Amino acid sequence: NLGNIDGKTAAQTLIAKVLVLRGSWQEAIRPARNALKSLKLANCIDAQETLVRALLGCSQTGEARQSTTAKLTEFEQQSDRHGQAAMTMLMATISAAEGNPTEAWSTIQEAQGLCDPSDLKLLSKVHLEASSILLQLRMLDETLVRAQEALMAFWKLGDRLGEQKANAVLSEVYSLRGVPHLAPNRPQAVEAMKEMAKAVGLRDADGYQKASEQLARLAVSNPPISKKEKREVFDEVLRRDQAASDFIRANSSASKVDTSLAGETFRAVEKKGLYFGYRAGGIAYGPRFRGIDVALGRATAARGIEDEAHAYAVYQ
């Protein structure tokens, strides 16, 4: 019903959410803005959150902060603690995106203090954002606790997407600790890596992209696969097929994100692709990428280098 403004705004918000999940941040901005124009303050939280994530995906942190500050002021004027908590959480997200994790941590604690303990939906998001900020600060023990709290809350809510995001953070922690076999997403990561190698052998570009995107959503930047396992999975197909490296380069998710990757190894480039794929899930943004160790300082592949199978493609 085109005359039903509530239906139209709900549809606009949903469209924007889907676009954000796909990583189409620029396209998501317009429907999110349009929804906010029609929504009453009490009903605007989802649309505002979606707009902020879309703006941050486009590195428009200034506009994200300005619009969220305005909404926060309105909620404060109405003494709406739920709205204040939600907007304060978004302010923490924005601070993290601006490269200020310490400020973000202080702000997310403030958001939690404003939350009603019975408001499990908002509290689950606050715990998830807190875990992401703590991960940026490399406070791994605390990250683990917050991610587990978020996971439990999402489980109680039946929020499968939230569970996936929390498991991605948990998997990142276990990967960083050098125990990827403990990661909750490990079985899926192993399968995705095998599917990528299979797609290389078959020259299946769509299959390679699909498996790569799946792998990207299983952690932040370090999928729960050991270096030895990576070599074992890729070496067999690349050792017998010298042209496979060209296929990997042509179909790397990273090559579609950044065209100035000359001189970087396949491992470094693909790691960037993993980050951008994960970012579409709505947790990591902008300058957080600077904290990711993407390069090993090598411009060529070599046998025996622990971090890189000798057959990995090298961008010249």
Side-chain angles (χ1 to χ4, degrees):
N1 182 357
L2 295 178
N4 185 342
I5 190 66
D6 291 333
K8 288 168 63 177
T9 53
Q12 288 168 334
T13 303
L14 180 59
I15 290 170
K17 283 184 174 182
V18 171
L19 289 170
V20 166
L21 288 173
R22 290 179 176 176
S24 301
W25 301 294
Q26 188 64 52
E27 292 86 344
I29 292 174
R30 182 176 178 180
R33 281 176 177 162
N34 288 339
L36 284 168
K37 290 177 182 177
S38 305
L39 288 166
K40 294 180 180 180
L41 183 64
N43 301 322
C44 78
I45 293 175
D46 279 352
Q48 180 64 26
E49 180 179 350
T50 304
L51 175 62
V52 167
R53 298 197 185 284
L55 289 170
L56 294 182
C58 297
S59 299
Q60 297 181 32
T61 57
E63 184 176 345
R65 180 172 288 279
Q66 182 179 5
S67 64
T68 305
T69 299
K71 292 296 182 186
L72 177 57
T73 299
E74 291 184 62
F75 280 117
E76 289 173 341
Q77 290 172 346
Q78 295 193 11
S79 299
D80 185 332
R81 287 178 64 86
H82 174 76
Q84 290 177 60
M87 294 305 105
T88 303
M89 179 192 71
L90 291 179
M91 294 298 282
T93 302
I94 295 165
S95 293
E98 292 171 334
N100 298 313
T102 302
E103 177 184 322
W105 174 236
S106 176
T107 305
I108 200 65
Q109 289 177 297
E110 181 183 348
Q112 184 172 353
L114 289 165
C115 279
D116 183 334
S118 65
D119 188 354
L120 199 58
K121 182 177 180 180
L122 180 56
L123 200 57
S124 64
K125 293 181 179 181
V126 170
H127 283 314
L128 182 64
E129 185 58 37
S131 72
S132 184
I133 293 167
L134 287 164
L135 180 61
Q136 191 176 357
L137 290 167
R138 284 299 186 263
M139 298 169 64
L140 299 186
D141 289 342
E142 294 84 351
T143 300
L144 201 62
V145 171
R146 286 305 190 104
Q148 288 171 336
E149 290 176 339
L151 180 62
M152 182 59 67
F154 286 127
W155 178 78
K156 290 179 180 178
L157 291 167
D159 185 340
R160 294 296 302 277
L161 181 59
E163 288 183 52
Q164 290 172 14
K165 293 177 182 178
N167 275 327
V169 176
L170 289 170
S171 294
E172 181 75 7
V173 171
Y174 288 119
S175 292
L176 289 172
R177 284 180 164 177
V179 285
H181 58 281
L182 297 179
N185 285 342
R186 177 171 167 76
Q188 301 96 305
V190 172
E191 185 61 28
M193 186 70 73
K194 290 180 179 178
E195 288 298 315
M196 288 174 67
K198 179 181 177 181
V200 171
L202 296 174
R203 297 298 191 270
D204 180 0
D206 290 340
Y208 182 87
Q209 286 288 340
K210 182 178 179 180
S212 179
E213 290 168 5
Q214 172 63 18
L215 185 63
R217 284 167 171 77
L218 298 176
V220 178
S221 64
N222 296 278
I225 303 289
S226 71
K227 298 165 186 176
K228 179 181 179 181
E229 288 168 330
K230 291 176 185 177
R231 290 196 298 270
E232 290 175 348
V233 169
F234 278 101
D235 263 359
E236 183 178 355
V237 64
L238 295 178
R239 196 185 298 271
R240 67 171 182 264
D241 185 355
Q242 295 182 354
S245 62
D246 293 330
F247 173 85
I248 292 174
R249 178 169 62 179
N251 291 281
S252 170
S253 55
S255 67
K256 292 178 167 50
V257 176
D258 187 351
T259 57
S260 59
L261 299 170
E264 292 194 84
T265 62
F266 167 69
R267 178 181 181 274
V269 171
E270 193 65 11
K271 196 169 185 181
K272 287 184 178 180
L274 291 174
Y275 169 80
F276 282 104
Y278 173 74
R279 191 168 75 171
I283 301 177
Y285 301 98
R288 295 187 189 193
F289 179 43
R290 290 201 293 263
I292 297 176
D293 177 18
V294 297
L296 299 175
R298 291 189 58 84
T300 58
R303 288 182 185 274
I305 300 300
E306 185 177 4
D307 289 289
E308 304 172 34
H310 73 276
Y312 277 2
V314 176
Y315 285 179
Q316 299 291 354

